[in-house]
Amino acid sequence: MGILMRNLILLIVLFSLSYSDTYTFLVNKYDKEMELESKIIKKITNITVKQKVVLFIPKITKSEVKFYSKLFTLSNNCEEANFIFVKKNITKDFLCKNKSGKLYFTNNYKKLLNNKDYFGAFFWSKSRPNIVFIKKRLDKMLISLPNSYKQFVEDI
Amino acid sequence: MSTIKFLYSSKMKVFVSFLIALILFFLLYETINLEQKIEKNMLEISTSDVFSITKNNASEIKRLLGVSDDYVKDIQTNVNLQKSIEQKLKLLITSNIKYAYLLYKDKNETFRFLVDASNPDEKALMNQKFDVDSQEWFDIYVDKKERFIQHEFLKSLSISFLVPIIKEDTVELVLAIDFSLKKVENINSVIQLMQNAIVVILAILFLFFTVLIIQSFNYHQVKKTAYIDKLTNVYNRNYLQEKEGSIQLENYILGVIDIDYFKKVNDTYGHNIGDLVLKKTAGVILNTIRSVNEEDIVIRYGGEEFIVLVKKSAKQKMKSRYRVFNRILKNIEQYKFKISETEDLSITVSIGVTLNPNKYTNFSEAFKVADSALYKVKENGRNNIEIVE
């Protein structure tokens, strides 16, 4: 009886292991994309912001807080931040009244083209991570990117 | 006897378990290899039609562009041409093909969209930059051959298929389609089913082997108990009946040992002391032969009679072959059987030995000869050995 039970437990463990990958897949997908995004934003802030970065993400979610708080000092207030990453559709109330000394970044290519406040965007194009900086806006903000980032600069 | 002992020893059990584990690991390794081969083949089979259709689509786009001098400029400037190409690309979109788009590479080696058949939410703009994720995108401009790229790190795409559109031996455009994970997931679900079946088979095999080992071990334990005399802890007559035919007589010297005046011991001191004498006598015999050879066999033939089969050694001379029986005789004679706190008992044995039992047709015949020799000792006053060649 004992042997039978042991073998039954072994079979259950084998089945659980064979299904465990599929079970965790969806969780992994979302987390990995968010993790990658936060790391890319960290690299971008490192080369564009000279002072200590205080990040403001309007309408920030709990999972975003989880990843971004590991890399940034987060702020709930636009006025206190020096880097604003706009990810969702927001009204003007969410943005700062005083725009000077603040960098605006978005996750939407069309927003980047239509709103001159943004100097660049990180977004998913055909499920691949894409980065775009607008040359004129970089020049206006006196931001100089390293050579390895030149491939992302668009002269539009 | 040593071979049997080895077969049921812990070392042997560990070796057998290790061997089974090795076989199971080999089967698992082969299963993983098989899965990879099946996945590759299934992927090729299930995508080959799509690849052909995509190549035809690329040819259709080339036909639409006709004798244009500059494919890129013509598409950028001609809205109707853009719409026609987009219609063609839309035909490629299915539940498995997530994206279909046409790209060009600018003078700065940057890929840009010309036409995108994606839904409005994901549709790229004309000339929008596209950060490619593999060197393969650039290689297509060198070898000018279509290719598929398997994505290891992208979470929602499985493979991409790229077809070059060539004009005057130069790649002008690249038609790309991206397969969603659904395709691979479907293939994987079939493989998963196979994998589960294989895991179950392996588990059943493992279960079978485990039960087999345990049962065979238990069977031999029970069998061993049935062959051992409980009082004296030597083999009993059942063992002799089972093994009689398989004993290689040429390898042994056969001795029959009988305790002298055992009936008197029983009658005088009672059966408990009789049993004690039997037990201790067997102990002395075992201790004496173990110092010579572990392959020797001791059997309680019945009552106070024991059979001892002493293994011959090639190096031993004839005389030394039966010395062990002399030692048994002396050791029993010298042994003090403690029958109470104050009283010891001394007993003797008579021994009949046949040095070459293989001279006789079978074990029974050889035993009869040794037993006759024992009878002679009994007639001549006991506590002695009679040897027959």
mmCIF file of all heavy atoms in Angstrom, chain B residues 124-167:
data_model
loop_
_atom_site.group_PDB
_atom_site.id
_atom_site.type_symbol
_atom_site.label_atom_id
_atom_site.label_comp_id
_atom_site.label_asym_id
_atom_site.label_seq_id
_atom_site.Cartn_x
_atom_site.Cartn_y
_atom_site.Cartn_z
ATOM 1 N N ALA B 124 1.389 50.316 -38.762
ATOM 2 C CA ALA B 124 2.531 51.246 -38.797
ATOM 3 C C ALA B 124 2.298 52.291 -39.879
ATOM 4 O O ALA B 124 1.612 52.033 -40.872
ATOM 5 C CB ALA B 124 3.802 50.467 -39.085
ATOM 6 N N LEU B 125 2.879 53.462 -39.670
ATOM 7 C CA LEU B 125 2.733 54.538 -40.647
ATOM 8 C C LEU B 125 3.738 54.357 -41.790
ATOM 9 O O LEU B 125 4.744 53.663 -41.639
ATOM 10 C CB LEU B 125 2.967 55.889 -39.974
ATOM 11 C CG LEU B 125 2.040 56.231 -38.797
ATOM 12 C CD1 LEU B 125 2.466 57.539 -38.164
ATOM 13 C CD2 LEU B 125 0.588 56.293 -39.261
ATOM 14 N N MET B 126 3.430 54.997 -42.899
ATOM 15 C CA MET B 126 4.361 54.988 -44.034
ATOM 16 C C MET B 126 5.714 55.557 -43.581
ATOM 17 O O MET B 126 5.745 56.602 -42.907
ATOM 18 C CB MET B 126 3.751 55.831 -45.163
ATOM 19 C CG MET B 126 4.694 56.158 -46.295
ATOM 20 S SD MET B 126 5.131 54.707 -47.268
ATOM 21 C CE MET B 126 3.641 54.472 -48.222
ATOM 22 N N ASN B 127 6.780 54.864 -43.909
ATOM 23 C CA ASN B 127 8.164 55.270 -43.582
ATOM 24 C C ASN B 127 8.517 55.176 -42.090
ATOM 25 O O ASN B 127 9.581 55.640 -41.675
ATOM 26 C CB ASN B 127 8.479 56.690 -44.062
ATOM 27 C CG ASN B 127 8.403 56.787 -45.562
ATOM 28 O OD1 ASN B 127 8.811 55.854 -46.249
ATOM 29 N ND2 ASN B 127 7.870 57.880 -46.067
ATOM 30 N N GLN B 128 7.611 54.621 -41.317
ATOM 31 C CA GLN B 128 7.923 54.469 -39.882
ATOM 32 C C GLN B 128 9.111 53.525 -39.731
ATOM 33 O O GLN B 128 9.196 52.486 -40.387
ATOM 34 C CB GLN B 128 6.706 53.901 -39.134
ATOM 35 C CG GLN B 128 6.947 53.768 -37.638
ATOM 36 C CD GLN B 128 5.714 53.246 -36.901
ATOM 37 O OE1 GLN B 128 4.580 53.603 -37.261
ATOM 38 N NE2 GLN B 128 5.933 52.413 -35.915
ATOM 39 N N LYS B 129 10.014 53.921 -38.836
ATOM 40 C CA LYS B 129 11.212 53.113 -38.591
ATOM 41 C C LYS B 129 10.810 51.785 -37.929
ATOM 42 O O LYS B 129 9.880 51.729 -37.137
ATOM 43 C CB LYS B 129 12.144 53.894 -37.660
ATOM 44 C CG LYS B 129 13.442 53.215 -37.343
ATOM 45 C CD LYS B 129 14.369 54.162 -36.607
ATOM 46 C CE LYS B 129 13.934 54.368 -35.159
ATOM 47 N NZ LYS B 129 14.184 53.241 -34.276
ATOM 48 N N PHE B 130 11.528 50.736 -38.287
ATOM 49 C CA PHE B 130 11.252 49.420 -37.695
ATOM 50 C C PHE B 130 12.562 48.829 -37.192
ATOM 51 O O PHE B 130 13.472 48.529 -37.968
ATOM 52 C CB PHE B 130 10.623 48.500 -38.769
ATOM 53 C CG PHE B 130 10.266 47.128 -38.268
ATOM 54 C CD1 PHE B 130 9.395 46.962 -37.189
ATOM 55 C CD2 PHE B 130 10.767 45.996 -38.876
ATOM 56 C CE1 PHE B 130 9.057 45.692 -36.736
ATOM 57 C CE2 PHE B 130 10.433 44.719 -38.431
ATOM 58 C CZ PHE B 130 9.577 44.570 -37.362
ATOM 59 N N ASP B 131 12.688 48.716 -35.851
ATOM 60 C CA ASP B 131 13.912 48.136 -35.264
ATOM 61 C C ASP B 131 13.839 46.621 -35.385
ATOM 62 O O ASP B 131 13.046 45.970 -34.689
ATOM 63 C CB ASP B 131 14.031 48.534 -33.784
ATOM 64 C CG ASP B 131 14.219 50.038 -33.619
ATOM 65 O OD1 ASP B 131 14.653 50.687 -34.588
ATOM 66 O OD2 ASP B 131 13.932 50.552 -32.518
ATOM 67 N N VAL B 132 14.655 46.086 -36.259
ATOM 68 C CA VAL B 132 14.622 44.625 -36.461
ATOM 69 C C VAL B 132 15.413 43.944 -35.334
ATOM 70 O O VAL B 132 16.258 44.560 -34.687
ATOM 71 C CB VAL B 132 15.171 44.226 -37.847
ATOM 72 C CG1 VAL B 132 14.287 44.763 -38.949
ATOM 73 C CG2 VAL B 132 16.613 44.686 -38.025
ATOM 74 N N ASP B 133 15.105 42.673 -35.142
ATOM 75 C CA ASP B 133 15.641 41.973 -33.983
ATOM 76 C C ASP B 133 16.670 40.902 -34.339
ATOM 77 O O ASP B 133 17.051 40.116 -33.476
ATOM 78 C CB ASP B 133 14.486 41.325 -33.205
ATOM 79 C CG ASP B 133 13.599 40.494 -34.105
ATOM 80 O OD1 ASP B 133 13.249 40.972 -35.192
ATOM 81 O OD2 ASP B 133 13.285 39.349 -33.734
ATOM 82 N N SER B 134 17.091 40.870 -35.608
ATOM 83 C CA SER B 134 18.027 39.815 -35.974
ATOM 84 C C SER B 134 18.870 40.241 -37.187
ATOM 85 O O SER B 134 18.400 40.987 -38.056
ATOM 86 C CB SER B 134 17.242 38.534 -36.308
ATOM 87 O OG SER B 134 18.002 37.665 -37.087
ATOM 88 N N GLN B 135 20.079 39.720 -37.247
ATOM 89 C CA GLN B 135 20.990 39.988 -38.366
ATOM 90 C C GLN B 135 20.443 39.411 -39.673
ATOM 91 O O GLN B 135 20.755 39.889 -40.773
ATOM 92 C CB GLN B 135 22.369 39.376 -38.027
ATOM 93 C CG GLN B 135 23.443 39.505 -39.089
ATOM 94 C CD GLN B 135 23.767 40.952 -39.453
ATOM 95 O OE1 GLN B 135 23.696 41.848 -38.617
ATOM 96 N NE2 GLN B 135 24.108 41.183 -40.718
ATOM 97 N N GLU B 136 19.562 38.413 -39.540
ATOM 98 C CA GLU B 136 18.988 37.737 -40.716
ATOM 99 C C GLU B 136 18.311 38.741 -41.661
ATOM 100 O O GLU B 136 18.308 38.547 -42.866
ATOM 101 C CB GLU B 136 17.942 36.714 -40.267
ATOM 102 C CG GLU B 136 18.483 35.632 -39.360
ATOM 103 C CD GLU B 136 18.798 34.356 -40.091
ATOM 104 O OE1 GLU B 136 18.492 34.262 -41.286
ATOM 105 O OE2 GLU B 136 19.383 33.457 -39.454
ATOM 106 N N TRP B 137 17.753 39.808 -41.078
ATOM 107 C CA TRP B 137 17.083 40.833 -41.888
ATOM 108 C C TRP B 137 18.070 41.494 -42.852
ATOM 109 O O TRP B 137 17.699 41.864 -43.970
ATOM 110 C CB TRP B 137 16.465 41.904 -40.991
ATOM 111 C CG TRP B 137 15.256 41.448 -40.219
ATOM 112 C CD1 TRP B 137 15.249 40.777 -39.048
ATOM 113 C CD2 TRP B 137 13.888 41.612 -40.591
ATOM 114 N NE1 TRP B 137 13.969 40.516 -38.647
ATOM 115 C CE2 TRP B 137 13.099 41.030 -39.572
ATOM 116 C CE3 TRP B 137 13.232 42.206 -41.674
ATOM 117 C CZ2 TRP B 137 11.716 41.012 -39.614
ATOM 118 C CZ3 TRP B 137 11.863 42.199 -41.702
ATOM 119 C CH2 TRP B 137 11.107 41.599 -40.686
ATOM 120 N N PHE B 138 19.284 41.656 -42.410
ATOM 121 C CA PHE B 138 20.300 42.288 -43.266
ATOM 122 C C PHE B 138 20.892 41.271 -44.241
ATOM 123 O O PHE B 138 21.231 41.602 -45.369
ATOM 124 C CB PHE B 138 21.408 42.902 -42.394
ATOM 125 C CG PHE B 138 20.909 44.034 -41.529
ATOM 126 C CD1 PHE B 138 20.496 43.809 -40.222
ATOM 127 C CD2 PHE B 138 20.825 45.325 -42.039
ATOM 128 C CE1 PHE B 138 20.014 44.853 -39.447
ATOM 129 C CE2 PHE B 138 20.347 46.380 -41.267
ATOM 130 C CZ PHE B 138 19.936 46.138 -39.967
ATOM 131 N N ASP B 139 20.980 40.001 -43.764
ATOM 132 C CA ASP B 139 21.575 38.945 -44.602
ATOM 133 C C ASP B 139 20.772 38.697 -45.878
ATOM 134 O O ASP B 139 21.313 38.270 -46.884
ATOM 135 C CB ASP B 139 21.699 37.636 -43.801
ATOM 136 C CG ASP B 139 22.705 37.768 -42.662
ATOM 137 O OD1 ASP B 139 23.493 38.740 -42.686
ATOM 138 O OD2 ASP B 139 22.698 36.920 -41.747
ATOM 139 N N ILE B 140 19.464 38.953 -45.803
ATOM 140 C CA ILE B 140 18.612 38.705 -46.975
ATOM 141 C C ILE B 140 19.034 39.604 -48.156
ATOM 142 O O ILE B 140 18.873 39.246 -49.323
ATOM 143 C CB ILE B 140 17.115 38.896 -46.614
ATOM 144 C CG1 ILE B 140 16.234 38.188 -47.640
ATOM 145 C CG2 ILE B 140 16.735 40.353 -46.501
ATOM 146 C CD1 ILE B 140 14.788 38.070 -47.213
ATOM 147 N N TYR B 141 19.627 40.768 -47.845
ATOM 148 C CA TYR B 141 20.116 41.672 -48.900
ATOM 149 C C TYR B 141 21.418 41.157 -49.523
ATOM 150 O O TYR B 141 21.807 41.589 -50.580
ATOM 151 C CB TYR B 141 20.333 43.083 -48.324
ATOM 152 C CG TYR B 141 19.047 43.849 -48.189
ATOM 153 C CD1 TYR B 141 18.199 43.624 -47.108
ATOM 154 C CD2 TYR B 141 18.653 44.770 -49.162
ATOM 155 C CE1 TYR B 141 16.998 44.303 -47.001
ATOM 156 C CE2 TYR B 141 17.454 45.456 -49.056
ATOM 157 C CZ TYR B 141 16.626 45.214 -47.973
ATOM 158 O OH TYR B 141 15.432 45.884 -47.882
ATOM 159 N N VAL B 142 22.058 40.205 -48.834
ATOM 160 C CA VAL B 142 23.320 39.655 -49.349
ATOM 161 C C VAL B 142 23.051 38.409 -50.193
ATOM 162 O O VAL B 142 23.434 38.334 -51.352
ATOM 163 C CB VAL B 142 24.281 39.323 -48.164
ATOM 164 C CG1 VAL B 142 25.592 38.739 -48.690
ATOM 165 C CG2 VAL B 142 24.525 40.560 -47.321
ATOM 166 N N ASP B 143 22.344 37.427 -49.591
ATOM 167 C CA ASP B 143 22.145 36.163 -50.351
ATOM 168 C C ASP B 143 20.866 36.179 -51.199
ATOM 169 O O ASP B 143 20.646 35.277 -52.014
ATOM 170 C CB ASP B 143 22.198 34.949 -49.426
ATOM 171 C CG ASP B 143 21.098 34.943 -48.387
ATOM 172 O OD1 ASP B 143 20.122 35.694 -48.546
ATOM 173 O OD2 ASP B 143 21.204 34.187 -47.405
ATOM 174 N N LYS B 144 20.014 37.178 -50.964
ATOM 175 C CA LYS B 144 18.791 37.372 -51.776
ATOM 176 C C LYS B 144 17.870 36.150 -51.741
ATOM 177 O O LYS B 144 17.197 35.838 -52.725
ATOM 178 C CB LYS B 144 19.168 37.700 -53.229
ATOM 179 C CG LYS B 144 19.943 38.994 -53.359
ATOM 180 C CD LYS B 144 20.688 39.064 -54.653
ATOM 181 C CE LYS B 144 21.686 40.209 -54.598
ATOM 182 N NZ LYS B 144 22.763 40.082 -55.524
ATOM 183 N N LYS B 145 17.886 35.444 -50.649
ATOM 184 C CA LYS B 145 17.040 34.243 -50.528
ATOM 185 C C LYS B 145 16.042 34.411 -49.382
ATOM 186 O O LYS B 145 16.364 35.044 -48.371
ATOM 187 C CB LYS B 145 17.913 33.015 -50.249
ATOM 188 C CG LYS B 145 18.678 32.543 -51.465
ATOM 189 C CD LYS B 145 19.536 31.361 -51.109
ATOM 190 C CE LYS B 145 20.358 30.950 -52.326
ATOM 191 N NZ LYS B 145 21.444 30.065 -51.953
ATOM 192 N N GLU B 146 14.845 33.821 -49.597
ATOM 193 C CA GLU B 146 13.855 33.882 -48.520
ATOM 194 C C GLU B 146 14.353 33.073 -47.320
ATOM 195 O O GLU B 146 15.185 32.183 -47.490
ATOM 196 C CB GLU B 146 12.481 33.357 -48.991
ATOM 197 C CG GLU B 146 12.423 31.894 -49.299
ATOM 198 C CD GLU B 146 12.694 31.588 -50.774
ATOM 199 O OE1 GLU B 146 13.070 32.504 -51.528
ATOM 200 O OE2 GLU B 146 12.565 30.411 -51.136
ATOM 201 N N ARG B 147 13.847 33.386 -46.140
ATOM 202 C CA ARG B 147 14.295 32.686 -44.934
ATOM 203 C C ARG B 147 13.239 32.793 -43.845
ATOM 204 O O ARG B 147 12.394 33.691 -43.897
ATOM 205 C CB ARG B 147 15.599 33.286 -44.411
ATOM 206 C CG ARG B 147 15.457 34.713 -43.886
ATOM 207 C CD ARG B 147 16.799 35.365 -43.751
ATOM 208 N NE ARG B 147 17.502 35.344 -45.024
ATOM 209 C CZ ARG B 147 18.808 35.027 -45.182
ATOM 210 N NH1 ARG B 147 19.546 34.756 -44.133
ATOM 211 N NH2 ARG B 147 19.381 35.026 -46.356
ATOM 212 N N PHE B 148 13.292 31.831 -42.903
ATOM 213 C CA PHE B 148 12.430 32.017 -41.731
ATOM 214 C C PHE B 148 13.288 32.136 -40.478
ATOM 215 O O PHE B 148 14.342 31.543 -40.366
ATOM 216 C CB PHE B 148 11.323 30.954 -41.637
ATOM 217 C CG PHE B 148 11.731 29.602 -41.185
ATOM 218 C CD1 PHE B 148 11.711 29.279 -39.834
ATOM 219 C CD2 PHE B 148 12.102 28.634 -42.111
ATOM 220 C CE1 PHE B 148 12.067 28.018 -39.416
ATOM 221 C CE2 PHE B 148 12.463 27.376 -41.690
ATOM 222 C CZ PHE B 148 12.444 27.064 -40.340
ATOM 223 N N ILE B 149 12.823 32.983 -39.577
ATOM 224 C CA ILE B 149 13.552 33.270 -38.333
ATOM 225 C C ILE B 149 12.711 32.752 -37.167
ATOM 226 O O ILE B 149 11.534 33.102 -37.055
ATOM 227 C CB ILE B 149 13.772 34.792 -38.155
ATOM 228 C CG1 ILE B 149 14.479 35.385 -39.373
ATOM 229 C CG2 ILE B 149 14.535 35.089 -36.871
ATOM 230 C CD1 ILE B 149 14.422 36.912 -39.431
ATOM 231 N N GLN B 150 13.328 31.920 -36.340
ATOM 232 C CA GLN B 150 12.619 31.458 -35.137
ATOM 233 C C GLN B 150 12.926 32.400 -33.991
ATOM 234 O O GLN B 150 14.095 32.688 -33.731
ATOM 235 C CB GLN B 150 13.050 30.040 -34.775
ATOM 236 C CG GLN B 150 12.126 28.998 -35.410
ATOM 237 C CD GLN B 150 12.371 27.616 -34.921
ATOM 238 O OE1 GLN B 150 13.423 27.060 -35.220
ATOM 239 N NE2 GLN B 150 11.431 27.052 -34.212
ATOM 240 N N HIS B 151 11.891 32.883 -33.336
ATOM 241 C CA HIS B 151 12.087 33.849 -32.248
ATOM 242 C C HIS B 151 12.179 33.136 -30.903
ATOM 243 O O HIS B 151 11.240 32.464 -30.506
ATOM 244 C CB HIS B 151 10.944 34.860 -32.209
ATOM 245 C CG HIS B 151 10.813 35.632 -33.478
ATOM 246 N ND1 HIS B 151 11.769 36.500 -33.920
ATOM 247 C CD2 HIS B 151 9.842 35.634 -34.422
ATOM 248 C CE1 HIS B 151 11.393 37.027 -35.074
ATOM 249 N NE2 HIS B 151 10.226 36.510 -35.407
ATOM 250 N N GLU B 152 13.315 33.318 -30.268
ATOM 251 C CA GLU B 152 13.514 32.685 -28.958
ATOM 252 C C GLU B 152 13.058 33.612 -27.837
ATOM 253 O O GLU B 152 12.591 33.161 -26.811
ATOM 254 C CB GLU B 152 15.001 32.355 -28.745
ATOM 255 C CG GLU B 152 15.594 31.414 -29.792
ATOM 256 C CD GLU B 152 15.129 29.981 -29.615
ATOM 257 O OE1 GLU B 152 14.822 29.595 -28.474
ATOM 258 O OE2 GLU B 152 15.050 29.260 -30.627
ATOM 259 N N PHE B 153 13.224 34.921 -28.060
ATOM 260 C CA PHE B 153 13.021 35.859 -26.957
ATOM 261 C C PHE B 153 11.732 36.670 -27.056
ATOM 262 O O PHE B 153 11.293 37.245 -26.080
ATOM 263 C CB PHE B 153 14.229 36.807 -26.840
ATOM 264 C CG PHE B 153 15.520 36.052 -26.674
ATOM 265 C CD1 PHE B 153 16.456 35.980 -27.693
ATOM 266 C CD2 PHE B 153 15.769 35.369 -25.495
ATOM 267 C CE1 PHE B 153 17.624 35.255 -27.538
ATOM 268 C CE2 PHE B 153 16.931 34.639 -25.328
ATOM 269 C CZ PHE B 153 17.860 34.582 -26.347
ATOM 270 N N LEU B 154 11.135 36.747 -28.254
ATOM 271 C CA LEU B 154 9.885 37.493 -28.363
ATOM 272 C C LEU B 154 8.769 36.638 -27.794
ATOM 273 O O LEU B 154 8.671 35.456 -28.085
ATOM 274 C CB LEU B 154 9.597 37.836 -29.830
ATOM 275 C CG LEU B 154 10.626 38.747 -30.505
ATOM 276 C CD1 LEU B 154 10.207 39.034 -31.934
ATOM 277 C CD2 LEU B 154 10.774 40.057 -29.742
ATOM 278 N N LYS B 155 7.944 37.280 -26.961
ATOM 279 C CA LYS B 155 6.977 36.496 -26.199
ATOM 280 C C LYS B 155 5.697 36.185 -26.958
ATOM 281 O O LYS B 155 4.979 35.265 -26.606
ATOM 282 C CB LYS B 155 6.646 37.216 -24.890
ATOM 283 C CG LYS B 155 7.742 37.074 -23.858
ATOM 284 C CD LYS B 155 7.685 35.714 -23.227
ATOM 285 C CE LYS B 155 8.895 35.431 -22.365
ATOM 286 N NZ LYS B 155 8.867 34.073 -21.834
ATOM 287 N N SER B 156 5.352 36.986 -27.995
ATOM 288 C CA SER B 156 4.089 36.699 -28.662
ATOM 289 C C SER B 156 4.257 36.291 -30.125
ATOM 290 O O SER B 156 3.275 36.073 -30.809
ATOM 291 C CB SER B 156 3.150 37.892 -28.544
ATOM 292 O OG SER B 156 3.810 39.033 -29.017
ATOM 293 N N LEU B 157 5.515 36.195 -30.584
ATOM 294 C CA LEU B 157 5.745 35.732 -31.952
ATOM 295 C C LEU B 157 6.560 34.435 -31.922
ATOM 296 O O LEU B 157 7.442 34.276 -31.086
ATOM 297 C CB LEU B 157 6.523 36.768 -32.768
ATOM 298 C CG LEU B 157 5.840 38.099 -33.051
ATOM 299 C CD1 LEU B 157 6.738 38.962 -33.926
ATOM 300 C CD2 LEU B 157 4.496 37.912 -33.724
ATOM 301 N N SER B 158 6.250 33.550 -32.838
ATOM 302 C CA SER B 158 7.003 32.296 -32.881
ATOM 303 C C SER B 158 8.044 32.329 -33.998
ATOM 304 O O SER B 158 9.231 32.188 -33.740
ATOM 305 C CB SER B 158 6.051 31.122 -33.063
ATOM 306 O OG SER B 158 5.251 31.318 -34.214
ATOM 307 N N ILE B 159 7.568 32.536 -35.241
ATOM 308 C CA ILE B 159 8.512 32.617 -36.359
ATOM 309 C C ILE B 159 8.115 33.733 -37.331
ATOM 310 O O ILE B 159 6.956 34.125 -37.410
ATOM 311 C CB ILE B 159 8.618 31.280 -37.145
ATOM 312 C CG1 ILE B 159 7.243 30.720 -37.491
ATOM 313 C CG2 ILE B 159 9.463 30.266 -36.434
ATOM 314 C CD1 ILE B 159 7.293 29.479 -38.345
ATOM 315 N N SER B 160 9.122 34.209 -38.080
ATOM 316 C CA SER B 160 8.867 35.189 -39.143
ATOM 317 C C SER B 160 9.369 34.590 -40.448
ATOM 318 O O SER B 160 10.363 33.851 -40.458
ATOM 319 C CB SER B 160 9.630 36.489 -38.870
ATOM 320 O OG SER B 160 9.128 37.091 -37.716
ATOM 321 N N PHE B 161 8.678 34.922 -41.543
ATOM 322 C CA PHE B 161 9.118 34.452 -42.852
ATOM 323 C C PHE B 161 9.359 35.684 -43.724
ATOM 324 O O PHE B 161 8.489 36.556 -43.846
ATOM 325 C CB PHE B 161 8.049 33.539 -43.458
ATOM 326 C CG PHE B 161 8.454 32.938 -44.779
ATOM 327 C CD1 PHE B 161 9.616 32.184 -44.898
ATOM 328 C CD2 PHE B 161 7.663 33.126 -45.909
ATOM 329 C CE1 PHE B 161 9.990 31.637 -46.121
ATOM 330 C CE2 PHE B 161 8.030 32.574 -47.132
ATOM 331 C CZ PHE B 161 9.199 31.833 -47.233
ATOM 332 N N LEU B 162 10.550 35.774 -44.293
ATOM 333 C CA LEU B 162 10.915 36.951 -45.078
ATOM 334 C C LEU B 162 11.130 36.556 -46.536
ATOM 335 O O LEU B 162 11.834 35.576 -46.811
ATOM 336 C CB LEU B 162 12.218 37.573 -44.551
ATOM 337 C CG LEU B 162 12.369 37.745 -43.032
ATOM 338 C CD1 LEU B 162 13.719 38.356 -42.696
ATOM 339 C CD2 LEU B 162 11.258 38.623 -42.490
ATOM 340 N N VAL B 163 10.518 37.314 -47.441
ATOM 341 C CA VAL B 163 10.703 37.043 -48.873
ATOM 342 C C VAL B 163 11.256 38.317 -49.534
ATOM 343 O O VAL B 163 10.661 39.392 -49.414
ATOM 344 C CB VAL B 163 9.361 36.654 -49.547
ATOM 345 C CG1 VAL B 163 9.583 36.267 -51.013
ATOM 346 C CG2 VAL B 163 8.685 35.529 -48.806
ATOM 347 N N PRO B 164 12.384 38.219 -50.226
ATOM 348 C CA PRO B 164 12.924 39.410 -50.893
ATOM 349 C C PRO B 164 12.185 39.677 -52.209
ATOM 350 O O PRO B 164 11.809 38.739 -52.908
ATOM 351 C CB PRO B 164 14.386 39.015 -51.151
ATOM 352 C CG PRO B 164 14.369 37.533 -51.272
ATOM 353 C CD PRO B 164 13.239 37.025 -50.427
ATOM 354 N N ILE B 165 11.959 40.949 -52.497
ATOM 355 C CA ILE B 165 11.423 41.304 -53.819
ATOM 356 C C ILE B 165 12.582 41.970 -54.566
ATOM 357 O O ILE B 165 13.090 43.031 -54.154
ATOM 358 C CB ILE B 165 10.180 42.211 -53.699
ATOM 359 C CG1 ILE B 165 9.059 41.425 -52.985
ATOM 360 C CG2 ILE B 165 9.717 42.707 -55.074
ATOM 361 C CD1 ILE B 165 7.798 42.209 -52.713
ATOM 362 N N ILE B 166 13.026 41.294 -55.622
ATOM 363 C CA ILE B 166 14.282 41.663 -56.282
ATOM 364 C C ILE B 166 14.011 42.399 -57.597
ATOM 365 O O ILE B 166 13.112 42.018 -58.359
ATOM 366 C CB ILE B 166 15.130 40.387 -56.532
ATOM 367 C CG1 ILE B 166 15.423 39.704 -55.187
ATOM 368 C CG2 ILE B 166 16.439 40.703 -57.258
ATOM 369 C CD1 ILE B 166 15.927 38.291 -55.296
ATOM 370 N N LYS B 167 14.824 43.420 -57.830
ATOM 371 C CA LYS B 167 14.756 44.135 -59.122
ATOM 372 C C LYS B 167 16.189 44.274 -59.635
ATOM 373 O O LYS B 167 17.054 44.802 -58.926
ATOM 374 C CB LYS B 167 14.125 45.515 -58.920
ATOM 375 C CG LYS B 167 13.984 46.322 -60.181
ATOM 376 C CD LYS B 167 13.234 47.628 -59.869
ATOM 377 C CE LYS B 167 13.196 48.517 -61.083
ATOM 378 N NZ LYS B 167 14.450 49.235 -61.317
#
